[in-house]
Amino acid sequence: MPQIRFFAQDGTLVESVEAPSGTRLLDLAQIHGQPLEGSCEGAMACSTCHVLIIGGDVDKLPEPSDEEEDMLDFAVGASRASRLACQIMLTADIASLDVRMPPGVIDMSRK
Ligand code: FES
């Protein structure tokens, strides 16, 4: 099973969890209390699931689609490491992935 490590905005390790193969990264993050709103539930219409992929098997992830890249243009603090968590499926060939919350992330669903 992929080992996913979640990091806070400041780089502090928050949690390390095993992901059942086939789990969507956004769903895993929300189950484990990460501050990702995911308000459009994967329709690529919000970018509130923006994360930074900072290590692990990042090269094993499929390239972002044009639609994902377009939506990332609207994400605060976006960089070359940016991805939409709703578009990342965690498959068995991914041994590990390090996921950091981007600058300015605010989970409005917790207000
Ligand atoms: Fe809206 Fe990912 S949940 S773009």
Side-chain angles (χ1 to χ4, degrees):
M1 278 196 271
Q3 188 75 34
I4 311 301
R5 298 195 304 169
F6 291 110
F7 293 83
Q9 296 175 50
D10 66 1
T12 305
L13 176 62
V14 175
E15 191 168 7
S16 182
V17 298
E18 287 189 338
S21 184
T23 303
R24 195 171 62 155
L25 180 59
L26 176 61
D27 298 329
L28 185 77
Q30 290 179 330
I31 288 168
H32 290 280
Q34 299 304 304
L36 297 177
E37 187 176 345
S39 60
C40 79
E41 300 179 0
M44 281 197 283
C46 72
S47 80
T48 61
C49 63
H50 173 215
V51 293
L52 303 173
I53 304 298
I54 57 173
D57 293 328
V58 65
D59 294 336
K60 291 186 177 172
L61 297 177
E63 291 292 313
S65 65
D66 290 345
E67 293 83 2
E68 182 178 351
E69 290 195 340
D70 287 348
M71 190 50 58
L72 285 168
D73 287 343
F74 297 103
V76 175
S79 74
R80 291 174 54 189
S82 293
R83 295 297 303 263
L84 296 178
C86 68
Q87 300 302 306
I88 296 177
M89 200 60 76
L90 300 168
T91 54
D93 62 328
I94 298 171
S96 66
L97 209 58
D98 290 350
V99 180
R100 186 159 67 85
M101 299 303 116
V105 66
I106 300 171
D107 184 353
M108 298 301 283
S109 68
R110 295 177 179 211
K111 300 253 171 188

PDB file of all heavy atoms in Angstrom, residues 24 26 30 37-50 71 84-87, ligand 1:
ATOM      1  N   ARG A  24      -8.485   7.920  -3.740  1.00  0.00           N
ATOM      2  CA  ARG A  24      -8.185   9.260  -4.266  1.00  0.00           C
ATOM      3  C   ARG A  24      -7.495  10.053  -3.166  1.00  0.00           C
ATOM      4  O   ARG A  24      -7.922  10.022  -2.001  1.00  0.00           O
ATOM      5  CB  ARG A  24      -9.506   9.911  -4.684  1.00  0.00           C
ATOM      6  CG  ARG A  24      -9.378  11.128  -5.560  1.00  0.00           C
ATOM      7  CD  ARG A  24     -10.709  11.561  -6.090  1.00  0.00           C
ATOM      8  NE  ARG A  24     -11.619  11.947  -5.008  1.00  0.00           N
ATOM      9  CZ  ARG A  24     -12.634  12.774  -5.138  1.00  0.00           C
ATOM     10  NH1 ARG A  24     -12.914  13.300  -6.326  1.00  0.00           N
ATOM     11  NH2 ARG A  24     -13.411  13.069  -4.123  1.00  0.00           N
ATOM     12  N   LEU A  26      -7.468  13.164  -2.392  1.00  0.00           N
ATOM     13  CA  LEU A  26      -8.340  14.100  -1.673  1.00  0.00           C
ATOM     14  C   LEU A  26      -9.143  13.378  -0.588  1.00  0.00           C
ATOM     15  O   LEU A  26      -9.251  13.861   0.538  1.00  0.00           O
ATOM     16  CB  LEU A  26      -9.290  14.812  -2.646  1.00  0.00           C
ATOM     17  CG  LEU A  26     -10.325  15.738  -1.992  1.00  0.00           C
ATOM     18  CD1 LEU A  26      -9.651  16.857  -1.210  1.00  0.00           C
ATOM     19  CD2 LEU A  26     -11.268  16.305  -3.044  1.00  0.00           C
ATOM     20  N   GLN A  30      -8.865  14.092   3.455  1.00  0.00           N
ATOM     21  CA  GLN A  30     -10.018  14.522   4.259  1.00  0.00           C
ATOM     22  C   GLN A  30     -10.308  13.539   5.387  1.00  0.00           C
ATOM     23  O   GLN A  30     -10.622  13.958   6.503  1.00  0.00           O
ATOM     24  CB  GLN A  30     -11.245  14.706   3.357  1.00  0.00           C
ATOM     25  CG  GLN A  30     -11.100  15.916   2.436  1.00  0.00           C
ATOM     26  CD  GLN A  30     -12.277  16.112   1.509  1.00  0.00           C
ATOM     27  OE1 GLN A  30     -12.939  15.155   1.118  1.00  0.00           O
ATOM     28  NE2 GLN A  30     -12.536  17.355   1.139  1.00  0.00           N
ATOM     29  N   GLU A  37     -10.596  21.569   1.438  1.00  0.00           N
ATOM     30  CA  GLU A  37     -12.050  21.656   1.351  1.00  0.00           C
ATOM     31  C   GLU A  37     -12.608  20.772   0.234  1.00  0.00           C
ATOM     32  O   GLU A  37     -13.589  20.065   0.427  1.00  0.00           O
ATOM     33  CB  GLU A  37     -12.447  23.108   1.137  1.00  0.00           C
ATOM     34  CG  GLU A  37     -13.932  23.331   1.190  1.00  0.00           C
ATOM     35  CD  GLU A  37     -14.271  24.805   1.064  1.00  0.00           C
ATOM     36  OE1 GLU A  37     -13.372  25.648   1.227  1.00  0.00           O
ATOM     37  OE2 GLU A  37     -15.431  25.096   0.787  1.00  0.00           O
ATOM     38  N   GLY A  38     -11.991  20.828  -0.946  1.00  0.00           N
ATOM     39  CA  GLY A  38     -12.491  20.013  -2.056  1.00  0.00           C
ATOM     40  C   GLY A  38     -13.942  20.307  -2.380  1.00  0.00           C
ATOM     41  O   GLY A  38     -14.738  19.404  -2.574  1.00  0.00           O
ATOM     42  N   SER A  39     -14.259  21.591  -2.497  1.00  0.00           N
ATOM     43  CA  SER A  39     -15.677  21.979  -2.550  1.00  0.00           C
ATOM     44  C   SER A  39     -16.399  21.539  -3.814  1.00  0.00           C
ATOM     45  O   SER A  39     -17.614  21.406  -3.798  1.00  0.00           O
ATOM     46  CB  SER A  39     -15.822  23.481  -2.340  1.00  0.00           C
ATOM     47  OG  SER A  39     -15.138  24.178  -3.343  1.00  0.00           O
ATOM     48  N   CYS A  40     -15.703  21.298  -4.910  1.00  0.00           N
ATOM     49  CA  CYS A  40     -16.414  20.857  -6.124  1.00  0.00           C
ATOM     50  C   CYS A  40     -16.399  19.336  -6.260  1.00  0.00           C
ATOM     51  O   CYS A  40     -16.899  18.806  -7.258  1.00  0.00           O
ATOM     52  CB  CYS A  40     -15.832  21.522  -7.368  1.00  0.00           C
ATOM     53  SG  CYS A  40     -14.291  20.794  -7.964  1.00  0.00           S
ATOM     54  N   GLU A  41     -15.819  18.669  -5.273  1.00  0.00           N
ATOM     55  CA  GLU A  41     -15.817  17.206  -5.204  1.00  0.00           C
ATOM     56  C   GLU A  41     -15.206  16.546  -6.425  1.00  0.00           C
ATOM     57  O   GLU A  41     -15.641  15.478  -6.859  1.00  0.00           O
ATOM     58  CB  GLU A  41     -17.223  16.682  -4.941  1.00  0.00           C
ATOM     59  CG  GLU A  41     -17.795  17.207  -3.621  1.00  0.00           C
ATOM     60  CD  GLU A  41     -19.202  16.723  -3.338  1.00  0.00           C
ATOM     61  OE1 GLU A  41     -19.753  15.970  -4.151  1.00  0.00           O
ATOM     62  OE2 GLU A  41     -19.731  17.100  -2.287  1.00  0.00           O
ATOM     63  N   GLY A  42     -14.201  17.187  -6.995  1.00  0.00           N
ATOM     64  CA  GLY A  42     -13.461  16.550  -8.080  1.00  0.00           C
ATOM     65  C   GLY A  42     -13.855  16.982  -9.473  1.00  0.00           C
ATOM     66  O   GLY A  42     -13.365  16.408 -10.448  1.00  0.00           O
ATOM     67  N   ALA A  43     -14.706  17.972  -9.587  1.00  0.00           N
ATOM     68  CA  ALA A  43     -15.140  18.436 -10.907  1.00  0.00           C
ATOM     69  C   ALA A  43     -14.155  19.418 -11.537  1.00  0.00           C
ATOM     70  O   ALA A  43     -14.406  19.938 -12.623  1.00  0.00           O
ATOM     71  CB  ALA A  43     -16.513  19.078 -10.805  1.00  0.00           C
ATOM     72  N   MET A  44     -13.032  19.664 -10.882  1.00  0.00           N
ATOM     73  CA  MET A  44     -12.012  20.617 -11.328  1.00  0.00           C
ATOM     74  C   MET A  44     -12.605  22.001 -11.572  1.00  0.00           C
ATOM     75  O   MET A  44     -12.385  22.621 -12.613  1.00  0.00           O
ATOM     76  CB  MET A  44     -11.283  20.103 -12.570  1.00  0.00           C
ATOM     77  CG  MET A  44     -10.237  19.075 -12.226  1.00  0.00           C
ATOM     78  SD  MET A  44      -9.055  18.790 -13.522  1.00  0.00           S
ATOM     79  CE  MET A  44      -9.997  17.788 -14.645  1.00  0.00           C
ATOM     80  N   ALA A  45     -13.356  22.465 -10.587  1.00  0.00           N
ATOM     81  CA  ALA A  45     -13.981  23.778 -10.684  1.00  0.00           C
ATOM     82  C   ALA A  45     -13.669  24.660  -9.485  1.00  0.00           C
ATOM     83  O   ALA A  45     -14.291  25.695  -9.315  1.00  0.00           O
ATOM     84  CB  ALA A  45     -15.490  23.609 -10.820  1.00  0.00           C
ATOM     85  N   CYS A  46     -12.690  24.267  -8.633  1.00  0.00           N
ATOM     86  CA  CYS A  46     -12.512  25.089  -7.428  1.00  0.00           C
ATOM     87  C   CYS A  46     -11.048  25.304  -7.003  1.00  0.00           C
ATOM     88  O   CYS A  46     -10.723  26.330  -6.478  1.00  0.00           O
ATOM     89  CB  CYS A  46     -13.288  24.476  -6.263  1.00  0.00           C
ATOM     90  SG  CYS A  46     -12.575  22.960  -5.589  1.00  0.00           S
ATOM     91  N   SER A  47     -10.204  24.348  -7.150  1.00  0.00           N
ATOM     92  CA  SER A  47      -8.795  24.339  -6.705  1.00  0.00           C
ATOM     93  C   SER A  47      -8.638  24.382  -5.187  1.00  0.00           C
ATOM     94  O   SER A  47      -7.560  24.670  -4.685  1.00  0.00           O
ATOM     95  CB  SER A  47      -7.951  25.434  -7.376  1.00  0.00           C
ATOM     96  OG  SER A  47      -8.140  26.682  -6.784  1.00  0.00           O
ATOM     97  N   THR A  48      -9.693  24.098  -4.423  1.00  0.00           N
ATOM     98  CA  THR A  48      -9.565  24.051  -2.962  1.00  0.00           C
ATOM     99  C   THR A  48      -8.985  22.715  -2.481  1.00  0.00           C
ATOM    100  O   THR A  48      -8.940  22.471  -1.279  1.00  0.00           O
ATOM    101  CB  THR A  48     -10.923  24.292  -2.275  1.00  0.00           C
ATOM    102  OG1 THR A  48     -11.849  23.269  -2.673  1.00  0.00           O
ATOM    103  CG2 THR A  48     -11.477  25.659  -2.614  1.00  0.00           C
ATOM    104  N   CYS A  49      -8.537  21.908  -3.416  1.00  0.00           N
ATOM    105  CA  CYS A  49      -7.854  20.655  -3.064  1.00  0.00           C
ATOM    106  C   CYS A  49      -6.381  20.742  -3.461  1.00  0.00           C
ATOM    107  O   CYS A  49      -5.704  19.719  -3.548  1.00  0.00           O
ATOM    108  CB  CYS A  49      -8.516  19.476  -3.758  1.00  0.00           C
ATOM    109  SG  CYS A  49      -8.393  19.580  -5.553  1.00  0.00           S
ATOM    110  N   HIS A  50      -5.902  21.965  -3.680  1.00  0.00           N
ATOM    111  CA  HIS A  50      -4.524  22.186  -4.116  1.00  0.00           C
ATOM    112  C   HIS A  50      -3.527  21.695  -3.065  1.00  0.00           C
ATOM    113  O   HIS A  50      -3.646  22.033  -1.888  1.00  0.00           O
ATOM    114  CB  HIS A  50      -4.334  23.693  -4.370  1.00  0.00           C
ATOM    115  CG  HIS A  50      -2.940  24.107  -4.653  1.00  0.00           C
ATOM    116  ND1 HIS A  50      -2.436  25.316  -4.231  1.00  0.00           N
ATOM    117  CD2 HIS A  50      -1.931  23.494  -5.307  1.00  0.00           C
ATOM    118  CE1 HIS A  50      -1.186  25.440  -4.628  1.00  0.00           C
ATOM    119  NE2 HIS A  50      -0.848  24.337  -5.280  1.00  0.00           N
ATOM    120  N   MET A  71      -6.780  24.924 -13.889  1.00  0.00           N
ATOM    121  CA  MET A  71      -7.347  25.219 -12.569  1.00  0.00           C
ATOM    122  C   MET A  71      -6.241  25.597 -11.578  1.00  0.00           C
ATOM    123  O   MET A  71      -6.435  26.453 -10.714  1.00  0.00           O
ATOM    124  CB  MET A  71      -8.145  24.015 -12.069  1.00  0.00           C
ATOM    125  CG  MET A  71      -8.976  24.282 -10.838  1.00  0.00           C
ATOM    126  SD  MET A  71     -10.037  25.754 -10.918  1.00  0.00           S
ATOM    127  CE  MET A  71     -11.032  25.381 -12.364  1.00  0.00           C
ATOM    128  N   LEU A  84      -3.776  18.965  -8.035  1.00  0.00           N
ATOM    129  CA  LEU A  84      -5.100  18.915  -7.430  1.00  0.00           C
ATOM    130  C   LEU A  84      -5.277  17.526  -6.824  1.00  0.00           C
ATOM    131  O   LEU A  84      -5.218  16.518  -7.542  1.00  0.00           O
ATOM    132  CB  LEU A  84      -6.187  19.176  -8.467  1.00  0.00           C
ATOM    133  CG  LEU A  84      -6.179  20.558  -9.123  1.00  0.00           C
ATOM    134  CD1 LEU A  84      -7.293  20.639 -10.177  1.00  0.00           C
ATOM    135  CD2 LEU A  84      -6.339  21.663  -8.092  1.00  0.00           C
ATOM    136  N   ALA A  85      -5.497  17.476  -5.522  1.00  0.00           N
ATOM    137  CA  ALA A  85      -5.596  16.177  -4.841  1.00  0.00           C
ATOM    138  C   ALA A  85      -6.759  15.345  -5.353  1.00  0.00           C
ATOM    139  O   ALA A  85      -6.725  14.111  -5.286  1.00  0.00           O
ATOM    140  CB  ALA A  85      -5.718  16.390  -3.334  1.00  0.00           C
ATOM    141  N   CYS A  86      -7.777  16.008  -5.897  1.00  0.00           N
ATOM    142  CA  CYS A  86      -8.936  15.251  -6.400  1.00  0.00           C
ATOM    143  C   CYS A  86      -8.604  14.496  -7.670  1.00  0.00           C
ATOM    144  O   CYS A  86      -9.371  13.625  -8.087  1.00  0.00           O
ATOM    145  CB  CYS A  86     -10.120  16.182  -6.635  1.00  0.00           C
ATOM    146  SG  CYS A  86      -9.912  17.351  -7.995  1.00  0.00           S
ATOM    147  N   GLN A  87      -7.481  14.819  -8.290  1.00  0.00           N
ATOM    148  CA  GLN A  87      -7.116  14.172  -9.555  1.00  0.00           C
ATOM    149  C   GLN A  87      -6.038  13.110  -9.389  1.00  0.00           C
ATOM    150  O   GLN A  87      -5.590  12.523 -10.369  1.00  0.00           O
ATOM    151  CB  GLN A  87      -6.642  15.239 -10.558  1.00  0.00           C
ATOM    152  CG  GLN A  87      -7.694  16.286 -10.872  1.00  0.00           C
ATOM    153  CD  GLN A  87      -8.972  15.672 -11.427  1.00  0.00           C
ATOM    154  OE1 GLN A  87      -8.943  14.930 -12.403  1.00  0.00           O
ATOM    155  NE2 GLN A  87     -10.094  15.960 -10.772  1.00  0.00           N
TER     156      GLN A  87
HETATM  157 FE1  FES B   1     -12.425  21.095  -6.736  1.00  0.00          FE
HETATM  158 FE2  FES B   1     -10.364  19.353  -6.743  1.00  0.00          FE
HETATM  159  S1  FES B   1     -12.069  19.369  -5.459  1.00  0.00           S
HETATM  160  S2  FES B   1     -10.723  21.041  -8.081  1.00  0.00           S
END
